[in-house]
Amino acid sequence: MTERDQRRSTCPISAALEVVGDRWTLLIVRDMIFGGARTYRDLLAAPEGIATNILANRLARMQALGILTSLPDPQDGRRMIYRLTPKGLDLLPVLMGLSTWGARYEGGIAPEGVLEAWMEDPKAFVTRVQAAQAAD
Amino acid sequence: MTERDQRRSTCPISAALEVVGDRWTLLIVRDMIFGGARTYRDLLAAPEGIATNILANRLARMQALGILTSLPDPQDGRRMIYRLTPKGLDLLPVLMGLSTWGARYEGGIAPEGVLEAWMEDPKAFVTRVQAAQAAD
DNA sequence: CATTATAACTTGCTAAGCGCAAGCGATTCT
DNA sequence: AGAATCGCTTGCGCTTAGCAAGTTATAATG
């Protein structure tokens, strides 16, 4: 039985929350998009301090859900390189929605210029960030 | 010690997730915005089936966080009427981001025309939905 | 006016998820 | 060869979620 079969409703908000509605998934996506994180170690360095077992679990789950892919680093056999799929990258608007709200109501502080660029022209912002991901 | 003092980082995404990053908070907001839910019973009817103790807990928490307000129904002393504050209503873009993603990648189905209207003109959509909330 | 029903919770218990600390096998560096 | 590093895994305790039953206050019903 797949995760999808046990979906609680057909609502797309609910469906999305079953995938990203936990404590860590979106923060991992954040660190991969904005922090350039590509390895397990990069992600462990998140300021919120994710536990090693949770991170391993989330990476496996996100891979199974098609949000990211992994491959061994050709330069170093110990290291795995994680990359967001288009599906993962497409969570950017969700991140920006949260970011806008968190900055407005919860005193969060986004990197200089990011929210401004997003609010000015969301589509151009997404295109620019996604191009930057593809580049490196 | 307030919830804010124990914030795990200054990141606005993280700050927002500490408030709405659980299984139910955003679904409650969804039911209040799109389902016209105003009472405990309305919210219990959510297709995902929230437990009574969790709903009571979330309503109290959301009220403490300024996402919604409650007042006794003047028509019926048993009933409490819940309403979203501007802060709660401002979660609409987050909901729509999740909805767009959930429909695209997870097979969720939004009510006819909603996603189209959002993608066509997000600002106008938000204005329209918020006006509808204020009206009733 | 007594009874029944309804609304909004609360309580108790069990199950699932999160978090910390320690350990492990496979590389790679010195 | 020995030490360090990388990506995990394991064990355990704690917190949160979920289910079922019960409680109080108000309102409708006969």
Side-chain angles (χ1 to χ4, degrees), chain A residues 4-107:
Chain A
R4 186 153 171 170
D5 292 332
Q6 41 201 117
R7 183 88 20 98
R8 295 186 297 177
S9 80
T10 59
C11 167
I13 296 171
S14 177
L17 285 174
E18 281 175 44
V19 174
V20 302
D22 75 298
R23 208 172 193 61
W24 290 108
T25 301
L26 285 176
L27 293 179
I28 290 171
V29 174
R30 173 200 66 181
D31 289 342
M32 293 184 76
I33 292 182
F34 294 111
R38 293 288 175 271
T39 67
Y40 188 89
R41 264 197 132 51
D42 291 345
L43 292 165
L44 266 188
E48 292 86 8
I50 187 169
T52 60
N53 55 343
I54 305 294
L55 177 55
N57 176 281
R58 270 332 98 90
L59 287 172
R61 180 178 137 91
M62 290 167 78
Q63 194 168 351
L65 288 165
I67 290 173
L68 51 79
T69 57
S70 70
L71 63 130
D73 186 339
Q75 318 299 308
D76 184 340
R78 293 169 302 182
R79 194 171 260 142
M80 292 292 280
I81 296 181
Y82 296 98
R83 302 195 121 265
L84 290 171
T85 61
K87 178 176 176 178
L89 268 174
D90 255 7
L91 286 165
L92 181 56
V94 175
L95 289 182
M96 296 313 299
L98 288 166
S99 191
T100 302
W101 191 87
R104 184 175 303 162
Y105 295 106
E106 295 296 323

Side-chain angles (χ1 to χ4, degrees), chain B residues 6 9 11 26 29 32 36 39 43-44 49 52 67 73 83 94 111 115 133 136:
Chain B
Q6 39 200 116
S9 80
C11 168
L26 285 176
V29 175
M32 294 184 76
T39 67
L43 291 165
L44 266 191
T52 60
I67 291 173
D73 185 338
R83 304 194 118 266
V94 175
L115 288 180
Q133 290 294 307
D136 85 329

Side-chain angles (χ1 to χ4, degrees), chain B residues 33-49:
Chain B
I33 293 182
F34 293 111
R38 291 289 175 273
T39 67
Y40 188 87
R41 263 195 131 53
D42 291 344
L43 291 165
L44 266 191
E48 292 85 10

Side-chain angles (χ1 to χ4, degrees), chain B residues 40-88:
Chain B
Y40 188 87
R41 263 195 131 53
D42 291 344
L43 291 165
L44 266 191
E48 292 85 10
I50 187 168
T52 60
N53 55 344
I54 305 292
L55 177 55
N57 176 282
R58 271 331 98 90
L59 287 172
R61 179 178 136 92
M62 290 167 77
Q63 194 169 351
L65 288 165
I67 291 173
L68 51 79
T69 57
S70 70
L71 64 128
D73 185 338
Q75 315 302 308
D76 183 341
R78 294 170 300 181
R79 196 169 257 142
M80 293 292 280
I81 295 180
Y82 296 99
R83 304 194 118 266
L84 290 170
T85 61
K87 179 176 176 178

